[in-house]
C-alpha cells in the first residue's frame, strides 16, 4: 500500500469500492492461533485487521500485533479500548472520540493520556468519530464507557451526531452496534448518515451473515468491520 491508510479509505470511498476489516480482540485470541487466523483473513481478501478490545491487559496488544506482523502483510489498525492498548508496532490508530456518549473519559481524557506516547510514535493517527447504536445487548463497550447508545430508530440524532463529528474535524465516522450485538445497525440509519456526511463511513457490530454484510455495503458503509461472526466461522 503506497497511500496512507486514511488516503486509501478516502480514495476507495470516492470510487465506490467497498472495504472489509476483521476485528481481532487480543483477549479472545491466543498467540498460537495467529498463524491460522492470519491465513484465514488473507483468504477473505480483507483490507485491514483491526486490533482492540475492552478488557485487554497492558502490554498484551504490543506482543499480539508483533506476532500478527510476522504472519501477515495486511495493514494493522489499532481500535483501542483505552490508551494502554496503543503500540508502535501497528500501522495506524483510530483516534476515537465517543461522540454518542457524554462521558468525558472517552470524549477527551483517554486521548490526552495517549499523547505522551503518540507524540513520539510513527503510527498514522486517524481522528475518528465513534457512535454507539443500540445493538440489543449490554455490550462491553457500554459497560466500560458507562454511556447510553443511540436508539436504532433515532435516526435524526445519529445523523446530527455524525455531522457534528465531521464538523469537529473527524476524518472517519464509525457506527458501532457493539461486540456480539443481537441487532446490526439499522440500514436506514446507515443510509441517512451516509447521505449527510462527506467523509468515509465505517459500520460494525452484529453483522452475522454475508447478506447482512452486502446490505450494509449497499446502504452506504464504505468499510465494514466483522468481529464475532469471524470468530464463529460465519465467513
Amino acid at each position: 500500500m503506497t497511500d496512507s491508510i486514511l488516503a486509501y479509505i478516502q480514495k476507495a470511498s470516492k470510487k465506490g469500492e467497498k472495504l472489509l476489516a476483521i476485528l481481532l480482540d487480543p483477549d479472545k485470541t491466543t498467540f498460537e492461533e495467529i498463524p491460522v487466523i492470519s491465513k484465514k483473513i488473507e483468504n477473505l481478501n480483507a483490507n485491514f485487521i483491526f486490533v482492540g478490545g475492552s478488557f485487554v491487559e497492558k502490554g498484551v496488544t504490543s506482543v499480539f500485533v508483533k506476532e500478527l506482523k510476522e504472519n501477515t502483510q495486511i495493514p494493522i489498525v489499532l481500535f483501542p479500548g483505552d490508551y494502554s492498548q496503543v503500540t508502535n508496532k501497528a500501522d495506524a490508530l483510530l483516534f476515537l472520540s465517543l461522540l454518542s456518549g457524554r462521558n468525558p473519559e472517552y470524549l477527551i481524557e483517554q486521548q490526552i493520556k495517549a499523547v505522551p506516547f503518540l507524540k513520539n510514535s510513527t503510527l498514522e493517527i486517524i481522528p475518528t468519530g465513534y457512535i454507539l447504536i443500540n445493538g440489543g445487548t449490554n455490550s462491553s463497550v457500554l459497560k466500560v464507557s458507562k454511556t447510553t447508545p443511540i436508539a436504532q430508530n433515532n435516526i435524526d440524532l445519529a445523523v446530527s451526531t455524525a455531522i457534528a463529528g465531521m464538523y469537529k474535524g473527524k476524518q472517519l465516522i464509525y457506527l458501532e452496534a457493539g461486540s456480539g450485538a443481537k441487532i446490526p445497525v439499522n440500514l436506514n440509519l446507515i443510509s441517512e448518515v451516509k447521505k449527510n456526511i462527506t467523509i468515509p463511513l465505517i459500520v460494525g457490530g452484529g453483522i452475522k451473515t454475508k447478506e447482512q454484510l452486502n446490505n450494509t455495503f449497499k446502504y452506504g458503509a464504505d468499510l465494514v468491520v466483522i468481529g464475532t461472526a469471524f470468530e464463529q466461522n460465519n465467513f
Side-chain angles (χ1 to χ4, degrees):
M1 184 184 293
T2 55
D3 290 323
S4 71
I5 286 173
L6 176 60
Y8 184 86
I9 295 171
Q10 289 170 332
K11 285 182 179 179
S13 175
K14 287 178 181 175
K15 292 178 184 176
E17 295 175 0
K18 302 301 184 179
L19 305 176
L20 176 67
I22 301 300
L23 172 61
L24 298 181
D25 184 342
D27 199 39
K28 298 177 181 177
T29 309
T30 66
F31 294 157
E32 291 75 20
E33 293 175 299
I34 287 176
V36 172
I37 285 175
S38 298
K39 181 60 66 177
K40 184 179 169 187
I41 293 172
E42 288 176 351
N43 289 340
L44 285 174
N45 294 316
N47 303 93
F48 305 106
I49 298 173
F50 283 10
V51 173
S54 297
F55 303 106
V56 182
E57 290 185 20
K58 188 173 182 179
V60 171
T61 301
S62 183
V63 181
F64 188 87
V65 171
K66 180 176 181 292
E67 191 71 23
L68 269 176
K69 278 289 185 184
E70 292 173 0
N71 284 277
T72 183
Q73 297 297 312
I74 298 173
I76 298 171
V77 180
L78 297 176
F79 176 48
D82 63 50
Y83 77 99
S84 72
Q85 295 177 32
V86 178
T87 171
N88 217 30
K89 292 181 170 62
D91 298 294
L93 164 72
L94 295 184
F95 199 57
L96 303 168
S97 292
L98 182 55
L99 303 179
S100 54
R102 299 297 179 266
N103 183 349
E105 184 66 26
Y106 293 92
L107 275 169
I108 189 62
E109 296 292 349
Q110 284 288 322
Q111 293 81 353
I112 291 171
K113 290 172 183 175
V115 165
F117 175 85
L118 292 177
K119 67 182 182 181
N120 297 311
S121 168
T122 56
L123 283 169
E124 178 186 348
I125 300 168
I126 306 174
T128 304
Y130 191 44
I131 301 173
L132 291 177
I133 307 297
N134 192 336
T137 184
N138 190 15
S139 71
S140 53
V141 177
L142 300 184
K143 293 173 187 173
V144 170
S145 67
K146 297 180 174 61
T147 61
T148 302
I150 294 175
Q152 292 270 1
N153 61 0
N154 199 342
I155 293 176
D156 288 345
L157 178 58
V159 169
S160 294
T161 304
I163 294 171
M166 181 177 68
Y167 287 166
K168 282 171 67 66
K170 306 305 179 189
Q171 297 298 306
L172 302 171
I173 294 295
Y174 193 147
L175 299 176
E176 168 75 281
S179 177
K182 295 177 183 176
I183 312 162
V185 180
N186 181 318
L187 294 174
N188 290 327
L189 189 154
I190 294 170
S191 177
E192 289 304 311
V193 167
K194 180 61 179 175
K195 288 176 189 173
N196 282 279
I197 60 174
T198 56
I199 56 178
L201 178 62
I202 304 174
V203 180
I207 298 167
K208 301 180 180 70
T209 67
K210 288 182 180 177
E211 182 182 9
Q212 288 176 327
L213 173 65
N214 291 334
N215 282 335
T216 304
F217 281 135
K218 179 181 174 182
Y219 277 76
D222 297 296
L223 169 59
V224 171
V225 183
I226 303 294
T228 303
F230 175 79
E231 294 167 12
Q232 296 173 347
N233 296 309
N234 288 12
F235 288 88

